[in-house]
């Protein structure tokens, strides 16, 4: 059996007539940027997350970069960020000339709330929390530290659309929540797209202005802005998918529950969910100290996998000038050596799930014989 990592056309086919109607509506309207679809999506997504304002942008990276910039963070400032995240989280900081201060992850692969306080200095200007793989970070602890030091919290929700902690949805805890709608995300568009959500009207207005060439009134440019606007076609398609997101998340959770119940191999460490947190399984990540052998074994069995992520940002070539070395964040580094993401996608069949479980359970530590 051949199992790819994620299959995107299923979501299109499932709601095909709705997507086609939405796209045609925009094509025929003659209005493609800064129009009624983006405005409607912003209202619907704000309501979904429980926030007051949403501003549609071009990408998740733009959301992070403009969130940091709108908070007035720049050269000489520090932003606390998990040491195990996708590079875009860190780029949102360094694009503004600010310095990322890395903090080790906890056993749930999110920033370790108990280690944040030790990273706070007189130059700290914000805490960035990432809800990695779809599990909510330890928001009660993070918010308590933020409150103590009066620091804004930026949430990177690129992998956590719809995930809650207690009753509260990600994006609503901090000052600003940043979302990506890249096609493979749980709420994926059909191209690049992103957004921020916030309860702060002034901040929302500022980010909207920055993303529109720094102008609120056409040709009156307050700041040297950028071009980052959610276009009408993506907005119309995202409205369709958003209306189905709860059932798509439920399906992912069902598949993950099958993995959790079925995979019983002492060589593999399965994902755990913190009490009170929620997991929407953007990725189903297991860990093993024989990761590369296990990956080759799965490939030989027809199962595609990906490593999220093989090099922690502090060791990335692009961040050499930060002066970090191997051993600075041993936990993040060992996760980078051990993690592997199993296939999980909407419409993954029972047969496919059972096959992945069987192959995982048959892994005996040898390079392979399947
Ligand atoms: C995908 C992703 C981003 C970046 O989103 P883009 O829309 O691709 O720019 C940022 N942070 C995390 C954690 C992501 O997974």
């Amino acid at each position: 059996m051949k199992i790819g990592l994620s299959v995107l056309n299923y979501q299109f086919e499932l709601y095909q007539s709705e997507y086609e109607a939405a796209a045609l509506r925009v094509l025929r309207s003659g209005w493609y940027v800064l129009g009624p679809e983006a405005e409607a999506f912003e209202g619907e997504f704000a309501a979904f997350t429980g926030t007051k304002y949403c501003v549609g942008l071009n990408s998740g990276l733009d959301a992070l970069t403009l969130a940091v910039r709108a908070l007035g963070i720049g050269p000489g400032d520090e932003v606390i960020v998990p040491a195990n995240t996708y590079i875009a989280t860190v780029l949102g900081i360094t694009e503004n000339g600010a310095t990322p201060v890395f903090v080790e992850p906890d056993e749930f692969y999110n920033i370790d709330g108990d280690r944040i306080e030790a990273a706070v200095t007189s130059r700290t200007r914000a805490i960035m929390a990432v809800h990695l793989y779809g599990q909510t970070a330890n928001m009660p602890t993070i918010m308590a530290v933020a409150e103590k030091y009066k620091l804004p919290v930026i949430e990177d929700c690129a992998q956590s659309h719809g995930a809650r902690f207690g009753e509260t949805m990600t994006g609503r805890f901090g000052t600003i929540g940043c979302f990506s709608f890249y096609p493979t995300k749980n709420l994926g568009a059909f191209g690049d797209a992103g957004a921020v959500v916030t309860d702060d009207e002034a901040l929302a207005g500022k980010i909207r202005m920055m993303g529109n060439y720094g102008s609120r009134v056409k040709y009156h440019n307050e700041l040297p802005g950028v071009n980052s606007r959610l276009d009408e076609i993506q907005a119309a398609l995202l409205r369709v998918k958003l209306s189905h997101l709860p059932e798509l998340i439920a399906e992912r959770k069902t598949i993950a529950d099958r993995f959790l119940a079925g995979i019983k191999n002492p060589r593999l460490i399965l994902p755990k969910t913190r009490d009170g947190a929620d997991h929407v399984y953007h990725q189903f990540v297991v860990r093993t100290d024989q990761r590369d052998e296990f990956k080759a074994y799965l490939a030989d069995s027809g199962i595609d996998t990906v490593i999220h992520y093989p090099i922690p940002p502090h060791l990335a070539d692009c961040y050499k000038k930060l002066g970090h070395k191997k051993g600075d964040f041993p936990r993040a580094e060992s996760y980078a050596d051990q993690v592997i993401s199993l296939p999980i996608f909407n419409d993954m069949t029972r047969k496919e799930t059972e096959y992945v479980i069987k192959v995982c359970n048959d892994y005996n530590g040898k390079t392979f014989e399947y």
Side-chain angles (χ1 to χ4, degrees):
M1 193 180 278
K2 174 86 196 136
I3 304 181
L5 193 72
S6 85
V7 177
L8 290 175
N9 54 351
Y10 161 77
Q11 290 187 35
F12 171 65
E13 284 159 13
L14 188 58
Y15 313 116
Q16 181 164 355
S17 57
E18 292 175 63
Y19 286 128
E20 289 177 352
L24 261 185
R25 186 172 71 230
V26 175
L27 289 172
R28 288 175 174 156
S29 74
W31 198 333
Y32 307 122
V33 178
L34 292 177
E37 296 289 345
E39 201 180 316
F41 173 75
E42 288 172 349
E44 288 159 13
F45 196 63
F48 176 79
T49 55
T51 53
K52 288 192 185 142
Y53 307 99
C54 169
V55 181
L57 302 164
N58 273 356
S59 69
L61 174 59
D62 281 2
L64 292 158
T65 305
L66 294 181
V68 170
R69 194 168 301 165
L71 288 168
I73 297 167
D77 297 335
E78 294 176 356
V79 178
I80 290 172
V81 65
N84 65 324
T85 184
Y86 183 51
I87 199 82
T89 317
V90 187
L91 284 170
I93 300 166
T94 56
E95 277 291 292
N96 290 293
T99 305
V101 173
F102 298 107
V103 169
E104 287 269 58
D106 58 21
E107 62 184 305
F108 307 97
Y109 307 117
N110 279 318
I111 191 167
D112 187 340
D114 296 329
R115 295 190 196 217
I116 293 176
E117 194 161 2
V120 174
T121 74
S122 60
R123 289 198 290 219
T124 309
R125 294 290 172 267
I127 299 170
M128 213 179 245
V130 184
H131 308 291
L132 200 69
Y133 307 145
Q135 177 169 186
T136 349
N138 185 0
M139 293 318 291
T141 304
I142 294 167
M143 295 312 292
V145 181
E147 217 140 278
K148 182 167 171 190
Y149 292 93
K150 305 268 172 283
L151 293 169
V153 171
I154 301 167
E155 293 177 70
D156 182 340
C157 308
Q159 304 188 0
S160 71
H161 317 76
R164 299 164 189 275
F165 199 111
E167 290 302 305
T168 306
M169 215 173 260
T170 56
R172 195 185 168 192
F173 285 93
T175 314
I176 309 183
C178 301
F179 287 86
S180 164
F181 307 121
Y182 182 76
T184 59
K185 311 291 186 186
N186 286 15
L187 177 60
F190 294 77
D192 274 314
V196 294
V197 297
T198 179
D199 281 343
D200 185 325
E201 187 178 7
L203 216 46
K206 194 168 177 190
I207 292 173
R208 188 181 298 287
M209 177 264 285
M210 289 170 148
N212 191 24
Y213 290 117
S215 70
R216 285 177 225 263
V217 177
K218 205 166 185 168
Y219 306 132
H220 291 257
N221 302 83
E222 298 171 38
L223 285 175
V226 297
N227 175 357
S228 189
R229 305 175 295 213
L230 177 63
D231 72 72
E232 288 290 283
I233 288 196
Q234 297 306 334
L237 297 169
L238 281 168
R239 292 179 69 196
V240 173
K241 194 174 278 184
L242 179 59
S243 73
H244 296 293
L245 187 59
E247 67 228 41
L248 292 169
I249 290 174
E251 189 183 22
R252 278 180 180 273
K253 288 186 180 183
T254 302
I255 297 163
D257 284 343
R258 283 191 196 138
F259 283 158
L260 290 169
I263 301 175
K264 293 190 170 72
N265 186 333
R267 290 185 174 84
L268 304 178
I269 300 169
L270 298 179
K272 292 185 291 259
T273 305
R274 178 189 297 284
D275 281 346
D278 185 15
H279 205 322
V280 294
Y281 293 101
H282 174 60
Q283 302 295 347
F284 190 94
V285 175
V286 303
R287 236 161 73 224
T288 169
D289 54 10
Q290 309 162 327
R291 197 263 313 279
D292 295 341
E293 292 89 339
F294 182 57
K295 186 172 179 19
Y297 159 82
L298 291 176
D300 283 330
S301 312
I303 298 172
D304 284 351
T305 54
V306 165
I307 309 305
H308 297 101
Y309 300 92
I311 301 168
H314 70 280
L315 299 179
D317 284 344
C318 65
Y319 286 135
K320 277 203 176 115
K321 64 171 194 290
L322 292 175
H324 290 294
K325 58 183 186 316
K326 213 170 162 80
D328 283 358
F329 301 97
R331 198 163 209 187
E333 290 165 25
S334 80
Y335 285 173
D337 290 338
Q338 296 179 345
V339 292
I340 176 166
S341 304
L342 300 182
I344 185 165
F345 48 88
N346 288 110
D347 194 38
M348 190 170 186
T349 62
R350 184 115 207 181
K351 234 172 147 179
E352 290 170 324
T353 334
E354 296 301 333
Y355 179 71
V356 172
I357 292 168
K358 176 173 170 25
V359 172
C360 284
N361 286 340
D362 285 350
Y363 180 59
N364 61 13
K366 298 205 190 88
T367 305
F368 118 89
E369 40 167 275
Y370 195 73

